[in-house]
Amino acid sequence: MRKIDLEAMGLRAVNELLQSQREYTNETAWEILNPRGSHAIAAGIDAPIEVTVNGSTGYYCAGMNKRATIKVNGRVGPGVAENMMSGTVYIEGDASQYAGATGHGGLLAIKGNAGSRCGISMKGIDIVVGGNVGHMSAFMGQAGTLVVCGDAGDALGDSLYEARLFVRGSVKSLGADCIEKEMEREHLLLLEDLLERANMHVSPDEFRRYGSERKLYNFDLDNAY
């Protein structure tokens, strides 16, 4: 494992080094030391490498990730894994607001809690949160899956499209066009797989499913007031 002292090397140089890695690199394991809340750490990686960040980070950590496995041993600021394409991002602590925003693919696993708008405008990413999520999570979620092992705040799934939502705890309120749906075997199997990959040790049977009622797909005069 190659160790990098971010404080000594500087953020730009660290990210340029990680972004320069290619598919057949021999340096597949990296460890970043002294992140000290810096922003945009390990952003824009496009290689099947493993990066461990030992400490907490600022906003947009692991943004635009593609193929890499990134683990943060600490907390993360707003927008972790924003616009993620593939790969896996593990957060050992809590995440601030809009975690996984606009993510197109891959898995984001947050061991702690996530703030407001978790999964906003998600487009295919799978997000598993071990704790609670804040208000308006999965707002305008288009595709992908949000799994919440704790509770969800106000307006869950507001203006939802086809993203799948699963909540183990309570939901303070549902957003516009979001309703509870029947849990079927295919959903239990999906949950089981995601929970296992995210290393969350809870039973799929304890969750409830939510999704779009599909009343906002077409214009309705009654919705204009």
Side-chain angles (χ1 to χ4, degrees):
M1 178 179 289
R2 181 170 174 181
K3 295 186 178 183
I4 304 173
D5 188 330
L6 189 145
E7 186 177 21
M9 189 172 182
L11 177 64
R12 183 183 295 274
V14 169
N15 276 346
E16 286 180 349
L17 180 60
L18 294 174
Q19 291 164 5
S20 68
Q21 302 307 304
R22 294 294 178 258
E23 184 171 356
Y24 300 108
T25 178
N26 291 324
E27 295 185 299
T28 58
W30 302 74
E31 182 179 8
I32 298 177
L33 307 174
N34 296 316
R36 300 196 174 192
S38 296
H39 305 309
I41 295 175
I45 299 176
D46 184 7
I49 62 176
E50 296 183 7
V51 178
T52 300
V53 182
N54 277 320
S56 297
T57 73
Y59 54 70
Y60 297 125
C61 175
M64 300 178 290
N65 185 55
K66 190 174 181 182
R67 299 193 289 172
T69 297
I70 301 172
K71 181 180 180 181
V72 179
N73 290 321
R75 300 180 297 274
V76 291
V80 62
E82 182 266 347
N83 205 36
M84 181 173 170
M85 295 294 172
S86 61
T88 306
V89 176
Y90 293 102
I91 310 301
E92 285 295 310
D94 296 327
S96 187
Q97 57 191 347
Y98 43 91
T102 72
H104 288 251
L107 171 66
L108 169 61
I110 301 168
K111 193 171 182 178
N113 303 306
S116 62
R117 297 175 177 85
C118 178
I120 182 173
S121 194
M122 53 196 294
K123 296 176 172 65
I125 188 174
D126 292 321
I127 304 174
V128 181
V129 180
N132 307 323
V133 297
H135 65 271
M136 296 197 76
S137 289
F139 172 57
M140 293 188 69
Q142 297 171 36
T145 308
L146 173 62
V147 179
V148 182
C149 298
D151 303 326
D154 277 317
L156 175 71
D158 189 85
S159 303
L160 194 68
Y161 288 83
E162 290 303 311
R164 301 166 298 235
L165 313 182
F166 300 93
V167 181
R168 181 169 172 247
S170 64
V171 176
K172 192 166 185 181
S173 68
L174 294 174
D177 209 38
C178 183
I179 61 172
E180 183 172 357
K181 295 191 171 185
E182 183 179 354
M183 183 77 81
E184 299 177 357
R185 176 168 172 76
E186 63 179 289
H187 306 120
L188 292 172
L189 293 174
L190 171 67
L191 261 176
E192 183 178 27
D193 175 65
L194 285 175
L195 290 167
E196 182 178 354
R197 288 167 55 203
N199 198 27
M200 303 289 182
H201 304 293
V202 291
S203 172
D205 296 321
E206 299 174 6
F207 288 80
R208 290 179 292 169
R209 181 171 76 101
Y210 302 89
S212 173
E213 194 174 9
R214 300 173 178 170
K215 286 189 174 181
L216 296 182
Y217 275 32
N218 300 297
F219 178 76
D220 188 325
L221 186 61
D222 292 336
N223 293 329
Y225 297 95

